[in-house]
Amino acid sequence: MYRLQNNRLLPLLTAMADSAPPSSSMDAYKSLGLVPNPDGSLTRRSLFPSVPAADTAVAFSKDVPLNPATGTFLRLYRPRVVPPNTKIPLVLHFHGGGFVLFSVSTMPFHESSSSIAAKIPALVLSLEYRLAPEHRLPAAYEDAVEAVMWVRSQAAAGVGGESWLREYADFSNCYLMGSSAGGNMVYHAGVRLLDADLGGVKIQGLIMNEAYFGGMERTESELRLADDKILPLPANDLLWSLALPEGADRDQEYSNPMASGSHQEKIGRLQKCLVRGYGGDPLVDRQRKFAEMVEARGVHVVTKFVDGGHHGVEIFDPSQAEALYNDVKDFIDSTPSTSRSTM
């Protein structure tokens, strides 16, 4: 089984649920572990520890610089067991956190990337992107595009490239994957890359798990789950106010993909999409509408909406994490690439 290796997260979720106040009396900054600083930056007090790149029972990992000027980097994960004489898919992964929280080194995301690498099997490249409000959107999208262009440079580098990619990556079989804010990044990076020259890199699919979308008009699921213990409305609204450009509201295209924007004419050209969500997530109505919108434009969309659960449930529940990994593996295995190359 490939699952989160720290089951101590389960009682943490229970404690969160027991202690969270109703939304009407909530201090949204406090609920998210955020302290605003006078200069507009944030002090972040994460519930989860950070871990360095380290080998696990199922995968190896290491950090590779992306852009020293912006402080971005990639954490690479290689499965311990790679099928012989075979190149394996490459998954560029974007972590969640409302564009404001967390890192590739946040323990649940580190362990999840390691497990995904082993389960598929694939090379997983997890992006350490810039966070808001210090770097408001579209900074995270720009970092995502830069990461893809780095992969392009590796595909062209030959013997001079990064050793794991040179030895194991099937550059013709690449995927963008993310959960929550990372799912939002998959969409926005995907449309930005449609007209880019990717050289030997071929993006075969987009994987969006519980994608973080918003809008000014409340949905039924947002109203029904206004006091959600993981993503209550005040915390959700605060995250968007910190992430969006100054002066923008939640109907700005970065938040609301149904709104008019600069990429509307490109949507129908997107690659095959996997859109997942949970019935207990306040954002599930937006995720369903997004899937319907993209499919209506002619995109091949695979949907998987699970009853129950909640936003980020796979962080806390190993069985839900396993279900996510299985869905990702099935999606990749069922997506034909231009070549299933051998070494």
Side-chain angles (χ1 to χ4, degrees):
M1 300 282 282
Y2 303 91
R3 59 179 60 185
L4 292 179
Q5 300 164 21
N6 192 339
N7 289 333
R8 289 175 295 178
L9 296 178
L10 290 169
L12 175 59
L13 174 61
T14 302
M16 291 169 63
D18 290 344
S19 61
S23 60
S24 59
S25 60
M26 173 175 292
D27 180 334
Y29 278 97
K30 183 177 180 180
S31 74
L32 292 167
L34 300 175
V35 178
N37 299 319
D39 64 356
S41 66
L42 295 174
T43 298
R44 297 166 173 84
R45 297 173 176 171
S46 177
L47 291 169
F48 308 112
S50 294
V51 295
D55 300 340
T56 70
V58 296
F60 304 103
S61 65
K62 62 181 175 181
D63 292 340
V64 175
L66 178 61
N67 186 336
T70 58
T72 56
F73 65 88
L74 292 161
R75 181 163 290 185
L76 278 56
Y77 298 84
R78 173 170 70 86
R80 283 186 175 270
V81 179
V82 177
N85 303 315
T86 303
K87 297 282 190 177
I88 57 178
L90 187 152
V91 176
L92 184 57
H93 183 262
F94 310 130
H95 69 78
F99 302 105
V100 173
L101 297 163
F102 307 134
S103 163
V104 299
S105 64
T106 302
M107 184 185 67
F109 299 127
H110 172 75
E111 292 185 348
S112 177
S113 293
S114 180
S115 295
I116 291 167
K119 179 73 175 182
I120 292 173
L123 287 176
V124 175
L125 282 59
S126 188
L127 173 64
E128 181 75 356
Y129 56 87
R130 290 172 291 171
L131 298 178
E134 295 87 349
H135 305 281
R136 291 175 177 266
L137 294 173
Y141 306 150
E142 294 166 353
D143 295 342
V145 170
E146 187 172 26
V148 174
M149 300 314 290
W150 180 86
V151 174
R152 177 189 184 278
S153 73
Q154 296 301 308
V159 294
E162 203 291 318
S163 60
W164 286 4
L165 273 68
R166 183 179 68 246
E167 294 175 27
Y168 299 106
D170 180 357
F171 291 104
S172 72
N173 196 23
C174 298
Y175 299 81
L176 306 185
M177 174 181 174
S179 294
S180 191
N184 176 301
M185 289 175 64
V186 167
Y187 168 68
H188 283 284
V191 293
R192 282 165 168 74
L193 289 162
L194 286 170
D195 294 323
D197 177 6
L198 300 184
V201 171
K202 177 67 174 178
I203 299 174
Q204 298 288 351
L206 308 179
I207 301 167
M208 291 163 276
N209 181 50
E210 55 189 10
Y212 188 55
F213 295 128
M216 293 301 294
E217 183 178 351
R218 302 297 190 192
T219 66
E220 187 279 330
S221 61
E222 287 173 338
L223 294 173
R224 174 169 46 87
L225 299 167
D227 292 328
D228 182 69
K229 305 307 181 183
I230 301 298
L231 192 63
L233 273 180
N236 185 29
D237 290 351
L238 175 61
L239 289 171
W240 279 121
S241 74
L242 294 170
L244 290 168
E246 293 278 6
D249 66 26
R250 294 189 305 276
D251 278 336
Q252 204 270 356
E253 64 178 318
Y254 300 158
S255 169
N256 187 353
M258 258 63 74
S260 61
S262 58
H263 302 297
Q264 289 295 309
E265 75 284 355
K266 296 182 180 180
I267 293 172
R269 295 162 49 203
L270 286 171
Q271 298 89 348
K272 180 181 175 184
C273 295
L274 171 62
V275 180
R276 295 181 84 257
Y278 302 98
D281 183 351
L283 305 183
V284 68
D285 286 351
R286 298 195 184 277
Q287 295 153 8
R288 291 184 188 276
K289 290 177 182 177
F290 170 80
E292 292 168 359
M293 181 271 290
V294 175
E295 189 169 35
R297 302 291 184 93
V299 178
H300 181 182
V301 178
V302 178
T303 56
K304 187 66 177 289
F305 288 96
V306 181
D307 292 338
H310 55 77
H311 195 76
V313 65
E314 66 276 355
I315 294 175
F316 303 96
D317 184 340
S319 66
Q320 294 285 3
E322 186 75 8
L324 169 62
Y325 306 153
N326 286 333
D327 288 345
V328 172
K329 177 176 173 56
D330 290 346
F331 179 78
I332 290 177
D333 287 348
S334 66
T335 304
S337 66
T338 53
S339 71
R340 296 290 185 181
S341 56
T342 57
M343 301 173 70

